[in-house]
Structures are given as C-alpha cells and as structure tokens.
Amino acid sequence: MLEQIKNEFKNASDLLMDTLDNGYLRMELAYFPSLCDERIKDGLLVPFSYRFDPDEFRRMLHSNPKYQKQDKSEEWANLLLKGNVLLEIDGQCYSFKSDRTFVTEVGTTQVEASLQGPQSAFTEDINLNISLVRIRYNKSILTVKPFDKGSFSHTSIQVLYDSELVNENVLKMLFKQMENVNIDLLQASGQLVKELTDRSHRLFPTLLQTERPDRVAVMLRRGKIVILMNGSRFAIVLPVRLFDFMHAMDDDYESYWISRFLIIMRYMAVSLTVILPAVYIAIVSYNPEIFRVQLAFTIDGSRAGVPYPSFVEVFIMLFMIEALIEASIRLPRFVGSTATTVGGLILGQAAQQAGLVSSIMIIVTSVVAISNFVVPNPNFSQSVRLMKYPFVIIAMIYGISGVAVMFFAMIVYLCSLRSFGEPYLALFTPKNQMNSGHGKD
Amino acid sequence: MRYRKALLFALLLSMLCGVNGCGFKDIDKRFFVVAMGIDRGSKPSTYRVTLRLAIPTSKIESGEAKTELESIEAPTIAESVRHIKSLVDKELDFGHCRVILFGKSLMERGVDEPLKWLSRRRDIQMVAFLGMAEPNSFHVLKLHPQSERYPGNALFLSFGSEGTESSYSVTEYLFDWARRQSETGKDGYLPIVRRDIDSNSYRVDKVAFLDKKKLRLCLNSEETQLFNISAKHYDKSVIAIPFQGTRVVLALSQVKTRTNISHSDIPEITFHIRATGFMEESPPNFLGGDMQQIQKHMQTEFNNQLEDLLYKVRDAGVDPYGFGLHYLATYFGRSNEWNHWMAAYPSVKFHVQSRIVIAKPGLIR
C-alpha cells in the first residue's frame, strides 16, 4: 500500500508514512498529521501499542464505524486528503476517520442580525451546519443528499429538502444543473449560486443566501431546497421570490402590526433608494412644478451656487457614497470608523459649503444610503444599490416620465425572472405550496 | 461576437451623449412666475401682461421675499410673454404660477381670449387661483406685503384653505372658471383683489359676477359673505341679524342647501337652507332665552337678506348659483326649455326657506 501512495504523493513531504510493529502485528500506516486530529491516538495508536490485544484489535477494526474496509486502491489518495488514516494489516486496507474539525462552536449572526430571534448562525463546517438544521427541523423526512464539487477543491455539498413538501420539478432541475457545475476551486456559496443560475447576467439574485438556520428551517417547511456547502457559512435556498429577500426573520417574531409596519417601511425605503436620485434630477431639471412652491424656492436658492447641472451633482455625490460604502466594507475594523467620519461628516458638509452640491442633494444622498441598508439580504441590497443608476441615466434624458416608464420596465423585468422555474414576482403562492401559516411574505 | 456587442453598446452610448433633453433646464436657471396679471393695454385690442417673478434666496424671513415685476404691452398675451423673456436672464417657468389676476377694465371688455391662452398652455396649472384686480392688476401686483416669507406667498395664502380662511373671500380655480364659462345655465364669479388702504396687504373681500362675456355685477362685503354661505356652503362664517339696535351673530358650523324649481310659465325657485351654529354674540337675556323664538326671528331676517341678494343677482342677468343648470337637469326638453328659461329668468320668483339651528346657545354663566 505504501508504495502506491508514495507514487501518488511524490512531493508531499507532510504525509506521514510508517510501518509499525508491536511484536505481534505489522501495520502500515499513512496519514496527513495536519489534516487529522488527536483521535488517532486513542482510536488507533493506543490499542495498537501498549494496550494491545490481538482479538480486541481485530474486533475493533470490524465493529467500530470509524473503521472502513477500503479495497479500491484508487480512492486511497482521496481518503487521505479528506483527513482519513489509512492502515494495512495482513494485506487488508482500512481507513480510520480522524479528520480535524476547526469549528466546534456555533457562530453568531453577522450579516442578518436579528433583534430577538435566534442569534446562532451557520459556521464554515458542514457537519455542524447540518446539525443546526436538524435541531430546528426535527423530522425524519428531511432528506440530505451529498455532492462533491470542484475539481481541485473537492468541496462537499449537501442538498437538504423535505421529501414530502418538495417540488419534484424543481428538484429535478437542480440535480440537472448540479451536473453542469464546472468549477476548479469552489470556495464560497456565491460561486455555486452563479453556477446554478441559468443566465449569468442578472440584475437581481434568484437564489437566496442566508446564514440563519431558522430561516432555513422556515424555508424547508415551505418545501424549498437548501444547499449547504463546506467552507461557507451561507446556505443557499431555492426557489425564492423577491419577497423572500425583503423578509427579515424578525417579521415572524414581532407582533402583527409592528411587523406589518416594518415590512411596509422596508418596501418604501427600497423604492426610495432606487428612484430618489432619479426623481431629484427629473424634478430639479424638468418638472420643478411638482414640488410645493416653498421647497422649489429653497432648492433654487441652495442650488444657486452649484456650477454643474443636476446630474453631475448627483454623480459626484453617488460616487462619494459608493466609495465610502465600499471602503467601510474592505477596511480593517479599527480604521473603519475613521473612513465614516471623514467621508460622512467632512466631505458631505464641505462639498455643500464649497458649492459643489446643494444641501438638498446631501439629504437625498443620505436617504439613499440609509434606505439601502434597510434591505435585510446583502445580495438584494447590492442589486438595489445598482438599480438606481439606470434610473438616473433615464431621468437625465427623459425626466419624470422617463422615471415612470423605467419603473414600469423594472416591474416587467422582475416579472420575467424565474427562480428554478418558479415566478420571481409571484405575489401569492397557492396554499398547497405554502402551508406553514407563515403569511404571504 | 462579444466585441461586436460591446462596440454596439459603445456606439449607443456615444449616441446618447448627443441627445440633450429638450426640456433639460436646471431649477437655478429658471425664473418662477408666482403671479400673473392681465390688463387691457393702452391701445385698443392690446394686452398688458404683468409677471411677478420670484428671486429665490436660501434664507426665509418675513418681508425678505424678493420679487421682480416685469410688464409689457403687446397685441396678444403670447407675444407679450415672449417679449418679457427678453427682459430677464433666466427661462420663465409658469409651473408655480398660482395666481392669475384680470384687470377690471379687461373684465368689462371680456376675457375670452385670455382664458383660451391660459387653457392651452400646458405649464399653467388648472388649479391656479383666479381673481379680478381693481383698479388694474399691475397696481395690485406692485404691492410688496410685509408678511411675505417667500415670493408670492401672501397671495397664495389669501386664497385656498392653506392660510387664512375668511368668509369674505371666495376662491375660484382656473379649471372651475373655464367650466363655468362653457356651461349652460351656470355663470362664473371671481374674487376682487385690491390693495389695502395702508398698502401693506391685499384685500380680498368682494366678489364679481360675470355672464359668459363680461363683468356684470360686483357685490359688497356683506353680500359676498352671504353668497359664500348660500352658494359655496362656506361654514366658517357668521350670520348677523339686527335686533333692537344690537346685532345677533351666529357662527356657523354646518350649512346645507337644496333648491326646488317649479315648472311653470314663470318658474318659482324655492331655496332651502339649513344652517347650524352657535351664538357668538347676543344681548343678555335675548328674547327670554326662548330658542324657538330666537330661531324663528333669525330665520325671517335671514330669508329677507338672502332673497334680496338673489333678486339682485337675478336683476344683473347672471346666474352664479347655477339655477339654470338645475332647471335643465330637472325638466326634459333641451333647447326649448333653455329658451323658456332664458326668457323667464329675469322675472323668476325666489322663496327662501331657511332653517337655523342653534346647536349651542353660547351661554357663559
């Protein structure tokens, strides 16, 4: 066995290969110490060395589920890379599962915070993630199907679904799509999302990524399919609708009127962040009669010193805010607050005092930026962030009527989208598909 | 293929740069017209158009509002507006023109042409307030009221229900007036705007009635209030009745009216009005506190007042109440009925039947 392994791993100097002899039995042993944990000591080395009993040792090899007979020599390399110990005793090859798990504690939510809901989030370890789901969805019909994707990374993927509630067509479509996944290094769930989406250029996400096990449980209950991936703390949910992206888990936990209020506010914020810069241009440059007369005069007065047309003003401010957002994501945490202070306070105030932009534009920019972060899902938030630019360009050319037509066009586009064959903008799904009593969002 | 697509996109983008929107004009390059006055010109069949233009400032204080007045004479309104454009440095914008005044002399000649121009322009809003300026609109628009916070504010607030709500000022919108000008059996009315005697505010307390062509009648302030109550159901007003040398004042809270027109040779119009309110001023121990008695007394007095007004309006040959329209709507017969009404209107009889309800006697001790 060792010869063959040696051939396959010619330059892997961290591979440990040894032949052990305790006087009764000879054992050939190969494993990566960096990939295996301490269990190897109690599980294999101690019974083999000073506690050795030939009968007990044989019994252990055959009865312990961690030991598997491995006859196919072509799988050995793969087993070693997955953190198994290979041993050969009396010409029979066994594997001992001893892979090191780095994450042993449940994570806390970081991008989908909740006020009073569960605070636990998925981790980068797939086994822990599955247990998180199983704890919440405690039913025997929860099916888990393993996959292995990435020709170089060999990332393990698990597809979870409730076999009674799941839509068979969607499942078939997913498995077909899974066949076509062709990635070398699969490292983030976003890559898988891209591969699973049928058209590559999409303005809106059609698969939901979430780090919350409670959301996954709710989605499973609604017959959706969940994909968990090793090394990613985000689960992928499909098929989804636009309203799933706008749904925060707190909406389910808050009292009825509060959650309704929050939902309405959220949709208003999204429409504001999408159309407000465009509406500013359209109203200031084409139809100032839409304002009340006081506001028209105030804007007129504050814009008096601005040298550029309104759309240049909008682009200056939008560029500044986008750069600021991007910087605060990428910057290390301890410099992050500096960026916000410099960007938000100094630039905003100074730009207005220098006469580069009007004071109303500062308000517009801040409303746009704040409203953008109201979206509970980061993917969707990014899409919304991008959507305002087509509106701005249209408003530049066609004014307020252009904005109205563009909004209509956006609705049409959303209607045309499909998430694994399911309509993206379906307001009401039939009762039999959605019987969790969860409300329409 | 990919390059061709990108090339096409770049081409489209470059074509986009060539397109500059036809209406693109920034707000700071526009001159907002806040009020417009149309007068009769010095030569026959010319107009004198006066525009009050707002000069915006970033700080807003009472009396600090700056405006510019431009006035020019031309054979038509359109020409004079074009001519005024050459006098100012920014593009004129009628989008916020909320007040349009006609001079009295123009009203006496007829306002058909100005109305056509106002209705045709898309940027003049149909919710603009109309008024008749006395003696002419240039004189009225020249006034700079002390209380004005932003340009044109004082005039906007005088009309409508945003600022002051006076029972002496009637409000007329452009859309309503345009309808009244074309509606059979219903005539237009306009508030009369004057300068106050001390020349620091406007005075809107009278109403002018027009038939389809020109000015026919101007009411005084008391009659204007009565018209406001009876025709517009204006309930923030008072009914004042003389009583033994003092006056009894009833503040209204609700007004309802109903009209019946009989179908006879000389139609008789019964005007029912029901007014609810509370006593705001009355002498102590008024009629012994007998409510029925008080109400009855007020009803007879009010009937007389209103009948006088109705006859006065009838005699001027105008119909701002829309009795003619009501008659046509009630009785079938189209043009025959209309001719009959036209002939009979100067001699129709009015019966006012008022019902005054004193909801609260205004007792203080």
Side-chain angles (χ1 to χ4, degrees):
Chain A
M1 181 189 85
L2 287 182
E3 282 304 307
Q4 195 196 332
I5 292 171
K6 207 176 266 176
N7 280 337
E8 278 195 59
F9 295 92
K10 279 196 184 89
N11 297 318
S13 54
D14 57 336
L15 177 66
L16 191 141
M17 287 182 291
D18 211 347
T19 309
L20 306 177
D21 195 339
N22 61 359
Y24 297 92
L25 209 62
R26 253 171 65 94
M27 177 169 78
E28 285 184 345
L29 182 75
Y31 68 102
F32 281 99
S34 52
L35 293 180
C36 299
D37 61 5
E38 287 298 300
R39 275 177 293 178
I40 186 173
K41 200 170 77 187
D42 291 338
L44 177 64
L45 296 182
V46 170
F48 184 71
S49 53
Y50 54 89
R51 289 267 174 90
F52 185 70
D53 183 316
D55 287 341
E56 274 184 25
F57 191 76
R58 286 223 160 71
R59 222 177 316 157
M60 181 184 81
L61 281 184
H62 290 121
S63 59
N64 191 333
K66 292 217 172 216
Y67 288 96
Q68 298 272 314
K69 268 189 192 167
Q70 296 296 345
D71 296 326
K72 290 181 191 148
S73 58
E74 61 271 13
E75 284 193 359
W76 290 348
N78 204 0
L79 285 167
L80 281 175
L81 286 169
K82 288 278 179 207
N84 288 298
V85 180
L86 285 185
L87 49 142
E88 192 183 287
I89 294 168
D90 299 341
Q92 173 64 49
C93 189
Y94 296 93
S95 71
F96 174 68
K97 194 165 164 53
S98 168
D99 52 338
R100 178 185 284 189
T101 46
F102 296 94
V103 193
T104 48
E105 270 181 37
V106 175
T108 50
T109 50
Q110 282 175 9
V111 292
E112 289 171 84
S114 151
L115 218 51
Q116 289 200 310
Q119 303 293 329
S120 57
F122 285 128
T123 63
E124 299 196 347
D125 181 59
I126 192 165
N127 294 320
L128 194 51
N129 290 354
I130 288 178
S131 75
L132 278 171
V133 175
R134 278 232 183 254
I135 288 167
R136 289 193 160 72
Y137 202 79
N138 217 326
K139 285 285 262 183
S140 57
I141 41 173
L142 179 65
T143 314
V144 179
K145 263 216 160 79
F147 283 87
D148 196 59
K149 288 293 166 194
S151 49
F152 281 75
S153 61
H154 286 290
T155 313
S156 61
I157 293 171
Q158 306 275 16
V159 175
L160 283 72
Y161 54 90
D162 187 310
S163 54
E164 280 178 8
L165 296 171
V166 75
N167 183 340
E168 292 295 330
N169 294 334
V170 175
L171 201 61
K172 239 178 264 169
M173 214 185 278
L174 172 69
F175 288 154
K176 214 172 105 194
Q177 201 77 14
M178 278 295 230
E179 299 284 305
N180 301 332
V181 171
N182 189 11
I183 305 183
D184 292 344
L185 295 168
L186 183 55
Q187 317 205 55
S189 52
Q191 287 174 299
L192 195 61
V193 166
K194 263 200 229 167
E195 286 291 317
L196 291 178
T197 318
D198 47 352
R199 261 186 294 161
S200 52
H201 301 288
R202 281 213 154 148
L203 285 172
F204 290 95
T206 47
L207 293 155
L208 177 79
Q209 291 181 60
T210 179
E211 62 167 2
R212 299 188 63 91
D214 52 342
R215 189 191 291 276
V216 163
V218 166
M219 289 299 190
L220 283 172
R221 178 70 186 92
R222 281 196 251 168
K224 312 227 160 165
I225 303 166
V226 175
I227 304 173
L228 291 172
M229 197 184 106
N230 200 15
S232 167
R233 50 196 312 263
F234 294 96
I236 302 167
V237 180
L238 63 108
V240 284
R241 298 173 302 149
L242 182 137
F243 310 100
D244 294 324
F245 290 96
M246 293 293 288
H247 180 260
M249 282 317 284
D250 270 338
D251 296 349
D252 294 352
Y253 307 141
E254 296 279 1
S255 65
Y256 181 82
W257 287 115
I258 308 241
S259 69
R260 293 299 115 155
F261 163 72
L262 289 176
I263 290 167
I264 291 167
M265 189 207 67
R266 208 172 289 140
Y267 281 96
M268 271 162 54
V270 166
S271 29
L272 263 188
T273 187
V274 169
I275 64 172
L276 198 62
V279 165
Y280 175 78
I281 293 179
I283 293 184
V284 160
S285 300
Y286 285 95
N287 307 83
E289 60 266 21
I290 291 176
F291 289 135
R292 297 212 75 160
V293 64
Q294 292 97 314
L295 190 57
F297 291 149
T298 318
I299 294 177
D300 197 344
S302 78
R303 258 198 67 84
V306 181
Y308 295 112
S310 56
F311 60 88
V312 176
E313 190 188 350
V314 166
F315 276 126
I316 290 173
M317 279 316 280
L318 285 186
F319 171 77
M320 249 164 65
I321 195 74
E322 297 291 7
L324 200 65
I325 294 171
E326 200 55 25
S328 39
I329 296 173
R330 306 284 165 231
L331 271 178
R333 291 229 180 275
F334 37 89
V335 233
S337 57
T338 326
T340 351
T341 320
V342 171
L345 289 172
I346 300 173
L347 278 185
Q349 189 69 18
Q352 192 242 323
Q353 276 176 2
L356 204 58
V357 293
S358 67
S359 45
I360 301 288
M361 189 59 221
I362 305 273
I363 300 172
V364 169
T365 317
S366 34
V367 168
V368 165
I370 294 165
S371 306
N372 204 145
F373 295 122
V374 170
V375 181
N377 184 285
N379 286 110
F380 196 69
S381 173
Q382 302 283 49
S383 302
V384 166
R385 193 172 144 193
L386 189 69
M387 268 317 286
K388 58 178 172 271
Y389 290 99
F391 276 89
V392 165
I393 289 167
I394 289 293
M396 247 163 69
I397 306 168
Y398 297 112
I400 199 83
S401 45
V403 174
V405 171
M406 187 68 192
F407 197 82
F408 174 74
M410 186 181 77
I411 301 286
V412 169
Y413 174 72
L414 284 173
C415 289
S416 80
L417 284 183
R418 292 286 179 276
S419 171
F420 276 85
E422 300 287 305
Y424 190 57
L425 202 71
L427 255 178
F428 301 101
T429 38
K431 231 357 185 215
N432 54 12
Q433 279 182 30
M434 184 204 68
N435 37 14
S436 68
H438 187 74
K440 64 177 182 294
D441 8 63
Chain B
M1 194 59 209
R2 212 184 162 80
Y3 284 112
R4 199 187 285 175
K5 231 177 188 173
L7 208 70
L8 191 75
F9 191 69
L11 191 76
L12 279 175
L13 216 67
S14 62
M15 278 162 77
L16 209 72
C17 295
V19 180
N20 49 342
C22 46
F24 193 93
K25 189 133 300 199
D26 277 321
I27 195 166
D28 49 325
K29 309 286 187 305
R30 291 175 194 242
F31 231 146
F32 288 104
V33 179
V34 288
M36 182 183 187
I38 303 170
D39 288 314
R40 199 169 169 174
S42 51
K43 284 184 226 106
S45 81
T46 58
Y47 294 98
R48 182 187 178 85
V49 172
T50 311
L51 299 183
R52 192 150 169 222
L53 306 167
I55 303 173
T57 46
S58 41
K59 67 171 184 190
I60 291 172
E61 271 174 46
S62 282
E64 287 295 302
K66 294 196 187 95
T67 55
E68 194 178 313
L69 205 66
E70 297 290 349
S71 180
I72 223 156
E73 261 184 48
T76 60
I77 301 172
E79 279 170 290
S80 42
V81 168
R82 292 299 180 289
H83 204 152
I84 288 176
K85 278 193 187 187
S86 70
L87 304 179
V88 294
D89 57 345
K90 290 175 231 152
E91 177 77 9
L92 290 184
D93 191 309
F94 283 90
H96 281 298
C97 181
R98 290 290 301 280
V99 176
I100 297 162
L101 298 178
F102 299 113
K104 192 174 183 188
S105 52
L106 179 75
M107 297 280 288
E108 279 159 0
R109 196 178 75 189
V111 280
D112 236 19
E113 290 299 314
L115 178 63
K116 272 184 199 154
W117 185 82
L118 291 172
S119 313
R120 275 187 199 183
R121 287 281 296 214
R122 68 165 182 90
D123 51 348
I124 291 187
Q125 306 202 10
M126 293 306 273
V127 290
F129 299 117
L130 284 189
M132 184 180 102
E134 208 180 46
N136 60 50
S137 57
F138 181 75
H139 183 74
V140 170
L141 288 179
K142 222 164 60 181
L143 180 70
H144 258 271
Q146 280 292 305
S147 64
E148 210 160 69
R149 284 222 185 87
Y150 56 88
N153 179 21
L155 261 181
F156 300 168
L157 293 181
S158 302
F159 298 113
S161 55
E162 223 176 286
T164 176
E165 289 181 79
S166 164
S167 56
Y168 291 100
S169 352
V170 293
T171 300
E172 177 65 323
Y173 293 101
L174 178 56
F175 69 86
D176 186 51
W177 195 59
R179 279 178 211 163
R180 280 170 182 269
Q181 285 298 96
S182 57
E183 183 70 88
T184 318
K186 200 176 193 181
D187 289 334
Y189 62 88
L190 288 180
I192 299 178
V193 186
R194 293 175 292 169
R195 269 177 179 227
D196 195 19
I197 305 145
D198 54 3
S199 273
N200 65 3
S201 63
Y202 300 104
R203 194 179 172 138
V204 192
D205 60 355
K206 292 185 359 179
V207 67
F209 293 133
L210 308 87
D211 63 1
K212 297 289 183 271
K213 290 191 180 65
K214 51 184 139 186
L215 182 66
R216 289 293 179 196
L217 174 70
C218 293
L219 297 184
N220 65 28
S221 314
E222 270 70 46
E223 290 166 336
T224 302
Q225 175 170 251
L226 208 53
F227 171 74
N228 223 350
I229 295 169
S230 55
K232 315 290 290 176
H233 307 162
Y234 198 87
D235 50 21
K236 282 176 185 159
S237 48
V238 294
I239 293 175
I241 306 292
F243 176 75
Q244 292 172 357
T246 58
R247 280 174 88 81
V248 181
V249 181
L250 179 80
L252 300 183
S253 56
Q254 196 188 35
V255 181
K256 280 180 184 168
T257 62
R258 188 161 53 83
T259 323
N260 276 339
I261 305 176
S262 70
H263 194 220
S264 50
D265 283 348
I266 301 297
E268 286 187 8
I269 300 173
T270 320
F271 194 82
H272 300 272
I273 180 161
R274 182 192 161 93
T276 318
F278 65 95
M279 300 297 278
E280 217 169 69
E281 290 204 18
S282 60
N285 202 17
F286 175 43
L287 283 178
D290 184 352
M291 274 302 163
Q292 298 298 330
Q293 197 70 30
I294 297 169
Q295 287 175 358
K296 210 168 178 186
H297 174 76
M298 295 187 84
Q299 280 166 14
T300 19
E301 277 293 327
F302 186 67
N303 286 353
N304 291 339
Q305 283 183 9
L306 196 53
E307 263 171 40
D308 287 348
L309 174 68
L310 290 172
Y311 280 119
K312 190 174 178 181
V313 170
R314 184 200 74 178
D315 292 342
V318 287
D319 188 6
Y321 285 87
F323 292 128
L325 185 66
H326 192 107
Y327 181 79
L328 285 181
T330 319
Y331 302 112
F332 183 73
R334 290 181 184 266
S335 57
N336 286 340
E337 284 295 343
W338 177 236
N339 291 334
H340 171 66
W341 173 261
M342 291 278 273
Y345 185 60
S347 51
V348 290
K349 281 214 174 57
F350 289 105
H351 301 288
V352 176
Q353 292 198 346
S354 62
R355 172 87 184 90
I356 288 178
V357 182
I358 301 173
K360 300 169 202 163
L363 196 69
I364 39 177
R365 229 157 144 63

